[in-house]
Amino acid sequence: MRRAGTGIAVATVALLSATACGTSKPGVFHPAGAGVGATATPSSASSSRVAGFQFPPGHTGEFTTQMPGSASQRNVVKALEDQQAAFRYALYVKAGDNRYLRWTEANIAPTFESMASRVRTHHIAERGVIQYSDITLSSPIYKFPSGSGTGGSFCLQAGSARDYDTRSGKTVSAVIPSGLYQFAMHKDPGGTWKVAQLRKGSASTCSQ
């Protein structure tokens, strides 16, 4: 197992499009504790630090895909992991804190708000280990006037992890379902890789 990570934040089956690049330089992804390496998966009794975010005891995630040999591809995969860590932290730990959206997908606010509203209204939390595997870049990194881009897919496996109602402790349907997901990444003129598009694939389960 390579290292601990977070659950990839998936919105809905609908495609999420990135906002067009503006003239101002966007904020660079610098989560709390930036520069701190990922730690080993914690026990259910301890909290875990994932991409600089402190997740509560019993709730964490793992990225098990080995990093690519290419430095440019590693940067894409690392950015995907870090930005999705911010999304899951904002949704489940901060119950929809929009301050974290600037580190995640552009133009995701409407979908995120819908998900966050469900989490807050129904008092939903998550427990267990969410695992993300087989992060694959399915297209080469290409260049265009506003930056660089690439696409790929990954597998989200909930395993024994569950969303639950904090009042009753009962399991509820997952806000972010397991399955195969497809994504596109875009590096803006400032040099920051961000998720440009994210959608759930047709497969409900993954081969791994």
Side-chain angles (χ1 to χ4, degrees), residues 144-180:
F144 49 93
S146 59
S148 303
T150 187
S153 62
F154 59 82
C155 180
L156 164 61
Q157 297 169 306
S160 60
R162 295 289 182 271
D163 283 21
Y164 67 99
D165 186 320
T166 58
R167 299 163 299 180
S168 65
K170 293 182 178 179
T171 298
V172 297
S173 58
V175 175
I176 304 173
S178 298
L180 180 69

Side-chain angles (χ1 to χ4, degrees), residues 68-99:
S70 163
S72 58
Q73 291 182 345
R74 284 198 302 272
N75 290 337
V76 173
V77 174
K78 182 62 168 61
L80 174 68
E81 294 179 351
D82 287 351
Q83 291 168 356
Q84 298 311 307
F87 186 102
R88 185 171 287 274
Y89 181 81
L91 183 65
Y92 283 108
V93 180
K94 292 298 184 179
D97 190 335
N98 277 330
R99 289 179 300 173

